[in-house]
Amino acid sequence: HIDNEILVFAEEDGIISAHLAFHAPRNVILEDRAGNRLTEGKDYIISGNSVELLNRELPYYREGWLQNRNVPEELPSENLRYKIEGCLLVDPVYMRGTQFLASYDCEETEIPRSVSDKLCLPLTYQKLKDNKRLKIALFGDSISNAANSSWQMGFEGYEHWCVQALREAEKLYGARIELLNVSRSGYGTEWAKEAVAEKFSGQNVDLAIIAFGMNDAPEGMSVEVFTRNVSEIIEKIKALSGDTEFILIATPVPNKECTYVYKEQEHYIRGLRTLENEGVTVLDMTSVFLWLLQRKRYCEISGNNLNHPNDFGYAFYTDALLELFTRLKQKTEHRLDWSEYFKIPEFEKADFPELPGNLQGGYLRTVVNGKQR
């Protein structure tokens, strides 16, 4: 079951439509942001994963507006303010008012895995399990500040995506997790390298979530330079607190219509993967958002139609981070650990004269719980 998936209607070739992301939607309930329920057959019809808007009195974007063409003056855009071309940069409060919320049943739908198979954060797990306390620093850009989310805009009933995930992680481990958000909107890894000392000195952070990339790519930063910068950030934090572990978040992609912004973001995941080892893991949000864009328009997953997720997009962040903590617990506690049983292995080779001269037989003798086997 899916709750509150965001739909944004746009007209193309005379048809006003939005799109549901998950397979075989049924029992669809569609509401506007004020909680008013729409009527199927009167306000909209559903065909597969497409929702066609019939009631033209409801808000939608006309053909071309989302590409910043022929935009009416009464539609509050921020293109001139930020010198953005190629796509409509919508005022986030206005855009929220054009969103509809869909809740529905669906078939199980496979989406790209966010949590790495190389997940290995042993110190984080032990501190949650034994000390029942963990201190986390979130170090990223505007997405780490939940820009354009309902929480960031001050609407009641919403929380920062990271806070939601950590609250559930606390329940999972019966632990207390402290979150320190040292992110800065509009900045990237070059700034972050220099800001480590200011942000992390004396903090004794157990786990650092590093989440940059959206502001690096527009500057033309290559995968290699981005990766080196992140590596340097890790080493500088370690120098201040040697046992800190790391989650590296691969950024979502911006709107492809804005060629100035859309550059190397979707390839940064390749560089982050090379940094994975014990104590450093990657959370891949890039692949998730590319998957979403195969199913929905960019305006349906974004809070400004340029680069920030909307509430629906941030929900994937929450789910991914919570899944990481869940899998960390499962992977660690369900691992077969033979170390207590095989502490002093001894290998001996025995020759059997009855065998042909070019063959030898052998056996393994080991000590199990102090007894020879």
Side-chain angles (χ1 to χ4, degrees), residues 136-139 143-146 151 159-170 177-181 183 207 209 247 249 283 314-315 317-319 321-322 325:
I136 297 179
L138 177 58
F139 193 31
I143 294 176
S144 295
N145 286 327
W151 170 84
E159 290 182 294
H160 189 291
W161 59 266
C162 191
V163 171
Q164 294 181 53
L166 297 183
R167 185 182 65 249
E168 295 303 315
E170 285 183 323
I177 301 177
E178 177 185 351
L179 176 63
L180 176 69
N181 191 347
S183 303
L207 178 65
I209 303 175
I247 298 171
I249 298 185
L283 199 62
Y314 282 122
Y317 263 76
T318 299
D319 290 347
L321 187 58
L322 179 57
F325 280 100

Side-chain angles (χ1 to χ4, degrees), residues 6 33 90-97 99 142-164 181 185 301-305 307-315 317-318:
I6 289 178
R33 275 294 192 175
V90 189
D91 173 81
V93 175
Y94 176 86
M95 189 159 198
R96 188 180 188 277
Q99 296 169 350
S142 53
I143 294 176
S144 295
N145 286 327
N148 298 163
S149 69
S150 291
W151 170 84
Q152 186 267 340
M153 289 186 283
F155 289 92
E156 293 185 3
Y158 294 87
E159 290 182 294
H160 189 291
W161 59 266
C162 191
V163 171
Q164 294 181 53
N181 191 347
S185 300
I301 65 170
S302 174
N304 64 355
N305 196 45
N307 59 352
H308 297 150
N310 56 24
D311 295 340
F312 179 60
Y314 282 122
Y317 263 76
T318 299

Side-chain angles (χ1 to χ4, degrees), residues 277-291:
N277 53 53
E278 183 173 308
V280 181
T281 193
V282 171
L283 199 62
D284 179 9
M285 301 311 299
T286 303
S287 298
V288 172
F289 276 75
L290 289 172
W291 176 86

Side-chain angles (χ1 to χ4, degrees), residues 75-278:
L75 199 163
S77 73
E78 298 184 332
N79 289 74
L80 291 177
R81 178 183 176 186
Y82 291 101
K83 299 181 174 60
I84 295 297
E85 298 179 358
C87 73
L88 178 66
L89 180 55
V90 189
D91 173 81
V93 175
Y94 176 86
M95 189 159 198
R96 188 180 188 277
T98 66
Q99 296 169 350
F100 293 85
L101 303 179
S103 299
Y104 59 98
D105 298 320
C106 63
E107 292 182 357
E108 186 173 336
T109 305
E110 184 176 352
I111 66 175
R113 179 179 292 177
S114 301
V115 181
S116 173
D117 289 332
K118 295 182 180 179
L119 172 62
C120 186
L121 302 173
L123 299 179
T124 295
Y125 171 78
Q126 287 300 324
K127 287 170 183 175
L128 284 168
K129 179 176 179 292
D130 298 337
N131 299 338
K132 299 300 182 182
R133 295 187 68 85
L134 191 75
K135 185 173 184 179
I136 297 179
L138 177 58
F139 193 31
D141 49 33
S142 53
I143 294 176
S144 295
N145 286 327
N148 298 163
S149 69
S150 291
W151 170 84
Q152 186 267 340
M153 289 186 283
F155 289 92
E156 293 185 3
Y158 294 87
E159 290 182 294
H160 189 291
W161 59 266
C162 191
V163 171
Q164 294 181 53
L166 297 183
R167 185 182 65 249
E168 295 303 315
E170 285 183 323
K171 297 177 185 177
L172 181 66
Y173 287 88
R176 177 75 176 94
I177 301 177
E178 177 185 351
L179 176 63
L180 176 69
N181 191 347
V182 293
S183 303
R184 186 170 180 179
S185 300
Y187 286 73
T189 54
E190 291 290 342
W191 166 82
K193 289 190 302 182
E194 305 305 318
V196 167
E198 173 195 348
K199 302 296 184 182
F200 286 85
S201 292
Q203 293 296 340
N204 298 316
V205 170
D206 300 311
L207 178 65
I209 303 175
I210 311 299
F212 291 97
M214 188 62 77
N215 297 310
D216 294 289
E219 300 302 319
M221 185 178 292
S222 67
V223 173
E224 292 73 23
V225 173
F226 175 78
T227 306
R228 284 200 302 271
N229 284 351
V230 174
S231 179
E232 186 174 334
I233 292 167
I234 291 172
E235 294 306 315
K236 285 187 173 184
I237 294 174
K238 282 183 176 180
L240 295 171
S241 178
D243 61 353
T244 301
E245 293 185 323
F246 298 87
I247 298 171
L248 311 179
I249 298 185
T251 183
V253 295
N255 193 327
K256 202 169 188 176
E257 299 292 335
C258 183
T259 55
Y260 165 71
V261 174
Y262 192 99
K263 290 187 177 179
E264 289 289 329
Q265 288 95 340
E266 67 180 87
H267 303 297
Y268 284 165
I269 179 65
R270 173 165 51 87
L272 295 180
R273 291 286 188 208
T274 67
L275 301 178
E276 284 189 297
N277 53 53
E278 183 173 308

